Amino acid sequence: GAGVSQSPRYKVAKRGQDVALRCDPISGHVSLFWYQQALGQGPEFLTYFQNEAQLDKSGLPSDRFFAERPEGSVSTLKIQRTQQEDSAVYLCASSRDRVPTVSGNTIYFGEGSWLTVV
Amino acid sequence: SQQGEEDPQALSIQEGENATMNCSYKTSINNLQWYRQNSGRGLVHLILIRSNEREKHSGRLRVTLDTSKKSSSLLITASRAADTASYFCATAVQGGKLIFGQGTELSVKP
């Protein structure tokens, strides 16, 4: 497809379960971002990749959160031992530029993966 | 934590009226962007204004930026029911990340 694709779209996990969320960015896009959006809130930055390099992971809330992009295209966000406070929408975004927040080139968002921890 | 605050949190208007949303932020920025999010969907980029610009137009959208007050506004003219959505400002700070505000929920009644 032409856009950023995320899977699964919806995930219900039992507390303590590990989850993996996948992001397929737009082909050829260099930058990839993960954001977390709680209900009724704005998205919060989690982490940022330039190709396969993870340049910023300052937003990851705990060491239970791990993201990777081993070949510089598809990315996976993994959450270990999920807790109820992890319930949120996880948004992936990509851009063709190395630093789109400076160049101003458009950042394209996926539809998100809705995680509910019960 | 989020950098910006948006005002109002919710706005309800009639079709044809103008909608104005405001955003304040705290630190130096490269640019400021506005996004739209329909319920249950992802974010769609609307417009970007650079830190050295004061006003920008795109169709029915008008964005202003006042870096001395660290604030921006988004005006949607001649609103339509299809404009119903949440609108977020996002500041582009050094290092590649976007910092989003809390959003304004706009409801346009036909």
Side-chain angles (χ1 to χ4, degrees):
Chain A
V4 178
S5 178
Q6 293 188 244
S7 61
R9 281 278 281 137
Y10 303 95
K11 174 71 179 177
V12 178
K14 291 185 179 178
R15 194 161 62 98
Q17 187 178 354
D18 296 350
V19 301
L21 307 176
R22 177 187 168 106
C23 173
D24 282 84
I26 294 171
S27 179
H29 276 198
V30 171
S31 300
L32 185 145
F33 304 84
W34 284 98
Y35 285 83
Q36 179 191 58
Q37 186 176 21
L39 192 63
Q41 302 292 314
E44 294 211 12
F45 172 83
L46 293 177
T47 187
Y48 159 49
F49 291 85
Q50 238 183 53
N51 296 309
E52 69 279 4
Q54 189 174 22
L55 297 190
D56 187 344
K57 55 181 181 179
S58 62
L60 295 176
S62 76
D63 59 8
R64 296 186 295 104
F65 286 71
F66 172 76
E68 61 182 4
R69 194 186 184 198
E71 296 177 0
S73 55
V74 171
S75 177
T76 304
L77 176 66
K78 297 179 180 177
I79 309 173
Q80 296 177 321
R81 304 181 303 281
T82 51
Q83 303 294 317
Q84 283 191 316
E85 62 262 28
D86 300 335
S87 296
V89 180
Y90 291 86
L91 296 166
C92 178
S94 73
S95 181
R96 65 182 177 89
D97 269 6
R98 294 165 63 86
V99 190
T101 50
V102 173
S103 67
N105 273 303
T106 301
I107 298 172
Y108 297 88
F109 281 80
E111 301 277 270
S113 289
W114 294 64
L115 173 65
T116 302
V117 181
V118 297
Chain B
S1 62
Q2 290 164 321
Q3 154 150 247
E5 290 189 5
E6 293 186 57
D7 167 51
Q9 288 190 334
L11 179 61
S12 183
I13 59 174
Q14 295 294 131
E15 238 180 352
E17 293 179 341
N18 295 341
T20 301
M21 290 160 265
N22 303 295
C23 166
S24 62
Y25 58 92
K26 297 174 186 171
T27 63
S28 298
I29 61 171
N30 291 321
N31 59 69
L32 185 144
Q33 305 179 28
W34 285 89
Y35 286 80
R36 165 195 169 121
Q37 186 176 39
N38 286 73
S39 182
R41 308 298 296 273
L43 293 155
V44 175
H45 180 265
L46 293 176
I47 192 167
L48 177 150
I49 186 164
R50 297 186 187 279
S51 58
N52 61 353
E53 295 176 313
R54 292 296 166 259
E55 187 171 312
K56 201 160 182 182
H57 298 252
S58 176
R60 293 185 296 114
L61 304 180
R62 173 179 166 247
V63 171
T64 62
L65 179 65
D66 186 336
T67 52
S68 66
K69 294 181 180 177
K70 291 187 166 57
S71 67
S72 173
S73 67
L74 172 69
L75 169 68
I76 304 174
T77 59
S79 63
R80 306 165 182 167
D83 294 330
T84 295
S86 293
Y87 291 82
F88 295 91
C89 69
T91 48
V93 300
Q94 194 168 3
K97 67 176 78 167
L98 287 174
I99 308 295
F100 285 85
Q102 303 268 19
T104 293
E105 195 172 325
L106 174 65
S107 175
V108 182
K109 301 188 186 308

